[in-house]
Amino acid sequence: MNAPSHGAPRTGRPPRASLSALTEREDVTYGRAYDRRVVRRLAAHLAPYRGKLLLGVGAVLLHTVTQLAIPLVIKNAIDQTLAAGTESLAATIAIFAAIMLLNGSASYVQDLVVGRTAETVLRDLRRSMFAHLQRVPMAFFDKTQVGRLMSRLQGDVGALQEFLENSVLSVGELVLLFGIAGVLLWLDLWLGLLTLSVVPALFQVRVLWLPAARRAFLRSRESSAIVNGALAENINGVRTVQAMRRESVNFDLFEERARENLSAQLWSITLAQIIVPIVDALTGVAMAIVVVIGGTFVLDGRIELGVMVASMFYVQRFFDPIRALTSQYSVMQRAMASGERIFEVIDVPVAIADRPGAVELDGADASVTLEDVRFGYEPGLPVLHGVSIAIKPGETVALVGPTGSGKTSIAALVHGFYEACAGRVRVGGRDVRDVTQASLGRMVGMVPQEPFLFTGTILDNIVYARPDATRAEAEAAAQAVGAHAFIARLPLGYDTPLEQRGLNLSLGQRQLLSFARALVADTPILVLDEATASIDSFTERAIQQALARLLKGRTGIVIAHRLATIRNADRIIVLRDGHVAETGTHDELLRAEGLYAALYAMNFASFDDLPEDVAKRAVSARAAS
Amino acid sequence: MNVSAAETVDLSRDHPRPLGGGPDEDARVLWRVARLSLRYPWRTGMGLASALAAAGFQVLVPQYFGQAVDHAHRLLGADGRAEAESALLITALMLLGASLARGLFTMAHNYLGEDVGQRIGYALRLQYYEKLQRLSFAFHDRVHSGDLMTRGMLDLEGVRMFVNTVLMRAALLVFLIGLGAALVLSSHLQLGLLSLSYAPFVAWRTSIVHLTLRRSWLLLQEKLSVVSRIMEENMGGVRVVRAFAAQPHEMAKFDQASDAALALAKRRIGSRVRESTAMSLAFYGAMGLVLWFGGQAVLAGEISIGKLAEILAFMTILQTPVRQIGLLINGSSRAATCGARLFEVLDLPSEVADRPGAAALRPGIGVLRFEDVSFTYPGQARPALDGVSLEVRPGHALGIVGPPGSGKSTIAHLIPRFYDPTAGRITLDGQDIKWVTLASLRHAVGVVQQDAFLFKAPIDANIAYGDPWADRARIADASGAAQLHDFVARLPHGYDTLVGERGVSLSGGQRQRLTIARTVLLAPSVVVFDDSTASVDAATESRIHAAIKALAKTRAVVIISHRLGTLMRADEIVFLDGGRIVERGSHAELMAAGGRYQALFDLQAHGR
């Protein structure tokens, strides 16, 4: 890279310009079309609907048989009409009417039962996945992105819908295919054999065509995903695009992508359409065979005219079951892959469950004790190396320390999200492993660093932890944390719906709602992860006051970032490298001239997430002076 | 076909305009879409011609079929065997030929319809992309990006598909039904009418059904999205859910939503199945009538048996197309909705553009002045800025601080002319920025934005975003000035490391510094740091300080922040409140004055 850049020509494709490359490959894997394990698991979910499924299959079979019968009725009508007179015609019409009624009812039952059962089974599957996710260990969520889980809950479950519906109907298609062949052979063996000779060719064409077509379809889907990705990127980054004047460069790049997409689409249309004349030609061949051979047979008196007519009707239906069955193959491949992913989630073991004999915490004792606790998220990577802390009921303790010192892990352990590898975490004097999850939830409340609100009204969110709380209780809580004023100013007050998890509120307002929620939960112990710099200093005063009200009369464990919070705590615990480095009040720690004093001397506005190297520098600077 | 309120977002808040204003509006939109296909007259014409030919051959097939039956029947037992055989052979060949021709023309018709649709989609996509790039910040503030994506993806598809799923298919249907009806009616009026008797009923039902199914489909999507949202929030907020032991509450929410969706899905299936059964019965009823009266006509010698077979075959051929009339109605309704939404954006005027007669900015040293500037956001009553006067020169740093809503960020938006002031003027080197070209202005002014946007691209391309011709040396220089180089150099792939969605994730501070590098690379004479809500950790803050300090030596720098640590070293600091400057001076002066600045400083630095 030594070319003088300013003189470089600025035409053509800019060397460093790119537009959203395809990074998200489709999760479609074309694997086996039949996976015994997946089918067996799925069958277990179908078992409760066995009766309905049998009814559905019965209806499908009946429907297929009546469809097969129609050309035969026409054949009869023709032959009888020619032979006898009006009377037998009337009989034929009566039979036709009966068959039609059967056909109609069968198709009604079939579509209704199959469709509704499939929807119900999907609901069940989604529900059992969701219910299971409520009980998997927290570590699972640390490792798995919500987006990926959502695609399993939606995309994969959706892929099974196609499979469930089509599978039952495929039974009908299969019967139809063999039925047509059987009837043709039964009508006349030789005519039937000759006519059926095109079927293998139809199959062959379809089988040869399918892989190429599938590739083209995949490419067309990918290329439209690329184009849409590029559009999305430009919409989201439009401020940067305009500020950097990238409009025309981006337009050229986008045009390139759009052109690629156009050609991919046109190619996939070509492939989709190319099969039409081939199938029509083969159908034409079959019809020609019926006309020439059938006609000759009629002339010979070997078959009746009706047989020829019926054969023509059958020939025109050849391709439908073949198309349905070959596409069912790819539906099955997709479904097996999806099924595997779904059951993978359902199979994640449930780690923390209530132990047999778990007791209810009664809430009388609001102390928290850690006894020589060792803990790590990954084996071999310990985060806490023997931490012992005793927090008295009603005491507010500030946890302070650089990133990775173990503050968040301590909070998570108190909530019972994880199990300590060694040592004991006690809440209310009881080991958290020996108490029920529900009673622990009533004992230890939470205010997360980023306020997490749910879609619903403001009221719904405030009473989230206690849905039975009254409106008056909610308003009192909002009053106490200073949220009432802004809520009352909203046109709908407490019934204001929160859009997109409360993005229609400011961060400070969401924080106050999160406080109100914790206040309504009214837990004797509160774990509070203080918001970092994202809160405006002006809102901070209101937050500080709310904080004081919230912690009043409770045991508080505060992961503190702000000086004001730290100074107001009864005790400060300074963590470093998974150890308790210092503990004491603000003044005591300043006198001790340790890590805390060193950090304070660096005059940072906040203690939020100091990297370890800053801590090191602070200590060495302190030591040097 | 009114557009439901949920589907539309009012784009022009100042001039609200009803959308989807009834049949007239729908017809106008559809006509506009149809006109798009006239841009490809040759392809469209060939497509229509193919439709006619395909319909013709389609109708011929049952005719030849009937002929073959008649040949076989007429000559049954007669002497001219050779004659009969050759007649059969000829009919068979005709049948084969007609079948093949039908296939070829069907292919051509389908292909050309899709082809024209795809080309229209391509053109619209480019037009839409370009339009969004040229619309102002004010527009993008107002309209949610998800909504714009929906318009650019789903609505564009709805418009594109109109050509092949509605226009082309409608042509084929008209030809097919017209030719076929003419044929059967001319051969036997009574039977012809009977064979078509089901069509009006089916056409009517299918149109109604498709419209109601579409409505209920939209409703179902809404219900399903509630289910998704509950699941997504549950997982996103898993810690809150578990901390409050709210799993039973969450399951109840889920069950309520998913049962509602299931009930609706079942109702939909019910009405769909009922209607399709009714339509099948209508069809088969008509067939039964044809068999009954046709059989009698054959017995009476009125028509040949081949004719009867032909009419029956014709009925089976028409069954599917008649049912597709519902798709046409559905497609038109969708295209009208989608078209209205898409054209609404395409028809918007670009709000901030070069004025007629705007000249390129004459290069100067970079003196920026605000002269009594006021600004009110469109649709707001209270001004965001109210008579603000400022001046910054090269080597001089101006700090701006104030509570949220005080107008800090508005200043950052006015300098590169993302908006125009409502009163007063902004000059750069003595030239009113209203009268210079946007390109030259934005070349001279660099804004480091608070929400650093990363593109899915390597780091070097992200830094060189504003000048994609920049070479690696310049990129490394800019990144060095922004205190980012050391970090990048430590990455295994260095400047080729992919960032964005699935790439390496950068911390807030690293993103911030990347945006600084992006701006530095363009060597603007004025740099604006909009840091009003950014969250960076304390150590990063000191690195960013260093970057700003280096820049401020040669350029005019404006720093907008709520953290005093960032701007206490600025040459002048203004304290904004309610769009007005309430305090101004250096850090020392403001501290001595003992006003709001000093109070804020005490809170931030000492926790008091």
Side-chain angles (χ1 to χ4, degrees):
Chain A
M1 293 288 159
N2 47 14
S5 65
H6 289 278
R10 309 211 149 206
T11 51
R13 194 198 161 101
R16 279 185 214 290
S18 72
L19 215 62
S20 145
L22 180 70
T23 46
E24 231 161 296
R25 286 242 149 215
E26 269 202 41
D27 247 353
V28 182
T29 36
Y30 286 106
R32 280 172 296 174
Y34 184 82
D35 184 330
R36 216 158 50 114
R37 258 174 339 110
V38 171
V39 172
R40 224 181 15 232
R41 296 290 298 271
L42 206 55
H45 281 269
L46 292 174
Y49 308 100
R50 197 179 291 132
K52 290 203 166 153
L53 281 174
L54 284 176
L55 179 63
V57 171
V60 167
L61 291 179
L62 183 61
H63 183 236
T64 312
V65 168
T66 53
Q67 267 190 309
L68 270 174
I70 294 167
L72 288 179
V73 175
I74 293 175
K75 165 194 168 295
N76 261 15
I78 289 172
D79 292 342
Q80 309 255 320
T81 312
L82 287 177
T86 323
E87 258 168 61
S88 72
L89 182 66
T92 311
I93 298 293
I95 294 173
F96 180 79
I99 289 180
M100 283 309 98
L101 277 179
L102 276 181
N103 176 288
S105 352
S107 94
Y108 180 81
V109 172
Q110 155 199 316
D111 290 346
L112 196 71
V113 169
V114 171
R116 288 187 169 176
T117 310
E119 289 282 354
T120 313
V121 170
L122 291 186
R123 194 275 316 260
D124 292 353
L125 259 180
R126 201 175 275 133
R127 189 178 191 279
S128 57
M129 263 171 103
F130 184 70
H132 188 78
L133 286 172
Q134 304 306 308
R135 304 190 305 135
V136 300
M138 190 64 86
F140 175 77
F141 288 97
D142 298 341
K143 285 182 294 213
T144 321
Q145 285 178 337
V146 171
R148 293 198 78 75
L149 283 174
M150 282 307 291
S151 92
R152 290 182 185 206
L153 284 160
Q154 290 177 307
D156 288 330
V157 172
L160 283 186
Q161 172 167 33
E162 206 182 2
F163 169 70
L164 288 174
E165 284 184 1
N166 288 4
S167 293
V168 180
L169 302 183
S170 291
V171 174
E173 300 289 350
L174 205 62
V175 172
L176 186 63
L177 188 64
F178 283 105
I180 289 177
V183 173
L184 278 176
L185 293 174
W186 170 70
L187 284 174
D188 185 275
L189 186 64
W190 283 107
L191 181 61
L193 276 180
L194 283 170
T195 315
L196 287 173
S197 64
V198 300
V199 171
L202 275 173
F203 249 114
Q204 196 55 41
V205 163
R206 180 89 184 163
V207 165
L208 285 178
W209 168 87
L210 210 54
R214 207 186 276 150
R215 267 198 305 281
F217 297 158
L218 189 66
R219 196 165 81 89
S220 79
R221 271 204 300 278
E222 278 181 357
S223 78
S224 62
I226 293 174
V227 170
N228 288 328
L231 177 66
E233 193 178 74
N234 228 47
I235 291 175
N236 292 324
V238 69
R239 284 165 181 77
T240 310
V241 170
Q242 292 192 355
M244 297 272 150
R245 306 178 304 281
R246 264 286 284 255
E247 295 93 340
S248 50
V249 169
N250 281 3
F251 183 78
D252 291 343
L253 293 173
F254 185 73
E255 188 175 17
E256 211 174 285
R257 292 268 189 254
R259 197 169 283 285
E260 281 163 14
N261 176 46
L262 180 63
S263 67
Q265 299 300 338
L266 292 182
W267 175 237
S268 94
I269 300 164
T270 309
L271 273 176
Q273 291 303 321
I274 199 92
I275 198 153
V276 173
I278 300 177
V279 168
D280 272 358
L282 284 173
T283 314
V285 168
M287 284 195 291
I289 290 174
V290 173
V291 169
V292 174
I293 309 293
T296 317
F297 284 3
V298 172
L299 291 180
D300 290 345
R302 185 177 158 162
I303 58 169
E304 289 163 312
L305 192 56
V307 172
M308 182 177 151
V309 176
S311 301
M312 285 296 265
F313 277 98
Y314 284 124
V315 163
Q316 296 195 329
R317 297 278 334 251
F318 264 169
F319 193 60
D320 297 346
I322 293 176
R323 182 171 43 215
L325 288 173
T326 44
S327 63
Q328 174 66 7
Y329 186 76
S330 25
V331 169
M332 281 176 73
Q333 283 180 313
R334 253 201 310 277
M336 293 305 135
S338 292
E340 207 170 296
R341 285 197 289 267
I342 289 173
F343 292 119
E344 212 174 275
V345 172
I346 297 187
D347 289 344
V348 173
V350 179
I352 298 192
D354 287 343
R355 291 193 175 181
V359 293
E360 295 266 319
L361 278 171
D362 58 6
D365 177 4
S367 69
V368 175
T369 326
L370 275 72
E371 294 166 9
D372 198 25
V373 169
R374 286 163 201 278
F375 171 70
Y377 297 92
E378 302 273 341
L381 285 173
V383 178
L384 299 178
H385 316 258
V387 169
S388 296
I389 299 173
I391 303 170
K392 294 188 288 287
E395 189 186 20
T396 297
V397 166
L399 299 181
V400 173
T403 310
S405 57
K407 296 170 292 188
T408 314
S409 305
I410 291 176
L413 287 172
V414 175
H415 280 299
F417 290 160
Y418 305 92
E419 277 191 60
C421 306
R424 220 178 277 280
V425 179
R426 288 182 194 276
V427 170
R430 293 264 185 188
D431 191 318
V432 288
R433 285 173 292 195
D434 296 335
V435 302
T436 61
Q437 297 285 301
S439 70
L440 187 63
R442 286 193 296 273
M443 188 77 183
V444 185
M446 169 195 247
V447 175
Q449 190 176 64
E450 282 278 323
F452 190 97
L453 301 179
F454 296 85
T455 304
T457 63
I458 286 184
L459 183 68
D460 291 341
N461 272 286
I462 297 179
V463 301
Y464 181 79
R466 245 177 4 98
D468 59 322
T470 63
R471 202 181 175 88
E473 286 178 87
E475 286 188 25
Q479 285 275 13
V481 299
H484 180 77
F486 90 80
I487 300 172
R489 271 201 305 276
L490 295 169
L492 294 177
Y494 284 82
D495 298 314
T496 306
L498 296 185
E499 285 150 29
Q500 299 194 42
R501 298 183 196 160
L503 283 186
N504 48 344
L505 301 180
S506 77
L507 188 59
Q509 291 170 335
R510 278 182 277 154
Q511 192 79 42
L512 292 181
L513 287 187
S514 167
F515 283 9
R517 175 173 64 195
L519 201 58
V520 169
D522 195 25
T523 51
I525 300 167
L526 192 63
V527 176
L528 194 147
D529 194 349
E530 197 178 16
T532 45
S534 38
I535 287 247
D536 202 281
S537 315
F538 297 88
T539 320
E540 196 181 318
R541 256 183 233 279
I543 300 271
Q544 288 295 345
Q545 284 164 358
L547 203 65
R549 292 229 183 86
L550 196 56
L551 288 169
K552 199 168 166 218
R554 285 175 227 283
T555 308
I557 302 173
V558 184
I559 300 174
H561 307 290
R562 289 167 192 282
L563 220 41
T565 318
I566 297 168
R567 291 178 70 144
N568 289 336
D570 297 322
R571 192 148 54 103
I572 301 166
I573 295 178
V574 184
L575 291 164
R576 193 177 167 192
D577 295 334
H579 293 284
V580 175
E582 298 165 35
T583 141
T585 64
H586 176 72
D587 295 328
E588 286 166 8
L589 290 176
L590 281 191
R591 278 197 298 275
E593 298 196 354
L595 176 62
Y596 181 83
L599 290 173
Y600 183 76
M602 285 179 80
N603 199 17
F604 283 117
S606 65
F607 272 51
D608 44 302
D609 298 326
L610 290 172
E612 178 60 22
D613 62 313
V614 174
K616 267 195 204 118
R617 253 191 296 145
V619 173
S620 54
R622 197 77 183 175
S625 67
Chain B
M1 279 163 266
N2 278 313
V3 176
S4 82
E7 282 180 288
T8 65
V9 167
D10 190 9
L11 292 184
S12 48
R13 198 163 45 184
D14 307 337
H15 313 285
R17 167 167 76 85
L19 238 184
D24 284 355
E25 175 73 10
D26 281 355
R28 207 182 55 76
V29 171
L30 290 182
W31 171 232
R32 183 166 169 186
V33 178
R35 264 201 332 256
L36 291 175
S37 62
L38 296 182
R39 290 190 197 163
Y40 310 91
W42 189 82
R43 286 160 200 277
T44 309
M46 290 293 287
L48 292 176
S50 306
L52 184 59
F57 284 110
Q58 175 83 303
V59 172
L60 275 185
V61 169
Q63 239 197 327
Y64 287 132
F65 171 42
Q67 247 174 44
V69 173
D70 275 348
H71 285 314
H73 183 225
R74 189 156 4 105
L75 298 165
L76 193 65
D79 284 340
R81 186 177 173 104
E83 192 195 332
E85 280 185 343
S86 72
L88 279 177
L89 196 61
I90 290 170
T91 310
L93 287 176
M94 300 286 264
L95 203 50
L96 179 56
S99 212
L100 182 60
R102 177 187 67 183
L104 287 172
F105 282 110
T106 306
M107 173 181 76
H109 159 255
N110 288 344
Y111 180 84
L112 288 166
E114 279 270 10
D115 181 288
V116 170
Q118 288 292 349
R119 279 168 208 277
I120 289 175
Y122 166 79
L124 284 175
R125 190 166 270 139
L126 290 187
Q127 212 184 329
Y128 186 72
Y129 187 88
E130 181 65 356
K131 178 52 90 182
L132 290 186
Q133 290 203 118
R134 305 288 172 181
L135 284 169
S136 67
F137 274 29
F139 171 84
H140 287 285
D141 286 347
R142 220 165 42 226
V143 185
H144 193 263
S145 59
D147 181 40
L148 291 179
M149 265 323 280
T150 311
R151 289 175 201 244
M153 284 170 62
L154 301 183
D155 293 337
L156 197 136
E157 284 291 287
V159 170
R160 174 181 77 66
M161 279 166 54
F162 180 70
V163 175
N164 62 319
T165 59
V166 178
L167 286 184
M168 286 292 183
R169 190 177 285 166
L172 183 67
L173 284 189
V174 167
F175 292 143
L176 203 55
I177 295 174
L179 284 174
L183 219 68
V184 284
L185 290 176
S186 68
S187 60
H188 194 278
L189 189 65
Q190 191 206 1
L191 283 183
L193 282 175
L194 280 179
S195 74
L196 293 170
S197 62
Y198 73 100
F201 172 75
V202 171
W204 169 62
R205 281 320 301 170
T206 184
S207 308
I208 305 264
V209 170
H210 270 97
L211 287 180
T212 48
L213 281 183
R214 184 171 144 75
R215 264 198 296 278
S216 69
W217 184 82
L218 291 174
L219 203 62
L220 181 62
Q221 291 310 306
E222 238 166 75
K223 292 209 184 290
L224 285 175
S225 76
V226 173
V227 177
S228 307
R229 200 191 61 218
I230 289 172
M231 296 191 294
E232 204 171 351
E233 288 186 356
N234 173 277
M235 291 187 274
V238 61
R239 281 166 189 265
V240 176
V241 171
R242 292 186 180 200
F244 289 118
Q247 289 97 329
H249 174 54
E250 289 286 308
M251 281 313 292
K253 270 205 298 194
F254 174 85
D255 281 341
Q256 197 191 358
S258 89
D259 288 349
L262 181 63
L264 181 61
K266 283 187 169 177
R267 269 209 306 283
R268 280 192 85 228
I269 291 172
S271 67
R272 192 183 68 206
V273 171
R274 260 198 311 282
E275 292 292 344
S276 83
T277 306
M279 285 187 260
S280 296
L281 287 180
F283 173 76
Y284 288 127
M287 204 177 216
L289 289 176
V290 170
L291 269 180
W292 171 245
F293 289 105
Q296 282 177 338
V298 171
L299 281 177
E302 279 175 43
I303 58 165
S304 69
I305 191 116
K307 205 48 142 186
L308 181 59
E310 179 192 321
I311 293 177
L312 290 174
F314 174 72
M315 284 187 79
T316 49
I317 283 176
L318 265 197
Q319 190 195 4
T320 318
V322 169
R323 282 190 173 205
Q324 285 179 343
I325 291 175
L327 289 180
L328 296 186
I329 304 289
N330 182 35
S332 313
S333 135
R334 182 173 171 209
T337 315
C338 295
R341 284 165 48 82
L342 185 69
F343 294 141
E344 190 181 17
V345 173
L346 292 181
D347 294 344
L348 285 174
S350 303
E351 286 158 51
V352 174
D354 286 342
R355 294 187 175 238
L361 184 81
R362 288 186 306 281
I365 55 164
V367 180
L368 176 75
R369 285 171 60 90
F370 271 55
E371 297 172 11
D372 208 16
V373 169
S374 297
F375 178 73
T376 310
Y377 283 96
Q380 299 264 308
R382 211 173 57 87
L385 278 187
D386 191 3
V388 169
S389 296
L390 301 166
E391 188 186 285
V392 213
R393 1 186 98 254
H396 182 98
L398 173 73
I400 298 174
V401 67
S406 61
K408 299 187 302 264
S409 291
T410 307
I411 291 182
H413 286 153
L414 290 180
I415 298 172
R417 243 192 102 214
F418 292 133
Y419 302 98
D420 280 328
T422 346
R425 61 182 207 136
I426 302 169
T427 63
L428 187 55
D429 291 321
Q431 304 154 68
D432 189 334
I433 62 169
K434 215 184 234 181
W435 295 103
V436 303
T437 59
L438 273 183
S440 64
L441 175 67
R442 292 189 187 165
H443 192 81
V445 176
V447 180
V448 180
Q449 267 148 356
Q450 46 180 295
D451 48 352
F453 188 84
L454 297 185
F455 295 88
K456 255 193 256 171
I459 291 181
D460 65 349
N462 261 295
I463 294 176
Y465 195 73
D467 182 3
W469 287 272
D471 61 22
R472 187 55 76 74
R474 266 181 70 210
I475 292 171
D477 278 352
S479 136
Q483 307 279 311
L484 184 70
H485 181 78
D486 291 347
F487 161 72
V488 178
R490 274 200 307 273
L491 292 171
H493 300 287
Y495 283 95
D496 298 322
T497 309
L498 198 67
V499 292
E501 246 171 82
R502 284 218 172 164
V504 167
S505 60
L506 300 186
S507 73
Q510 287 157 351
R511 292 166 79 105
Q512 193 85 10
R513 281 178 280 149
L514 194 148
T515 345
I516 295 177
R518 211 181 251 173
T519 307
V520 170
L521 184 97
L522 296 176
S525 50
V526 178
V527 182
V528 182
F529 288 93
D530 187 353
D531 177 33
S532 40
T533 60
S535 62
V536 283
D537 60 61
T540 305
E541 196 175 320
S542 69
R543 291 202 191 104
I544 294 176
H545 280 323
I548 296 178
K549 217 164 124 187
L551 284 177
K553 278 183 197 143
T554 53
R555 292 170 224 283
V557 172
V558 179
I559 307 158
I560 297 166
S561 182
H562 69 93
R563 304 155 148 274
L564 298 185
T566 314
L567 41 73
M568 56 190 278
R569 293 174 193 86
D571 300 283
E572 188 191 22
I573 299 164
V574 298
F575 194 109
L576 279 181
D577 196 9
R580 294 176 158 278
I581 296 176
V582 293
E583 289 175 32
R584 71 196 304 166
S586 69
H587 174 72
E589 286 163 5
L590 291 173
M591 286 303 286
R596 297 188 54 180
Y597 180 87
Q598 192 237 333
L600 180 62
F601 184 84
D602 282 351
L603 179 72
Q604 288 192 6
H606 306 295
R608 277 192 288 260

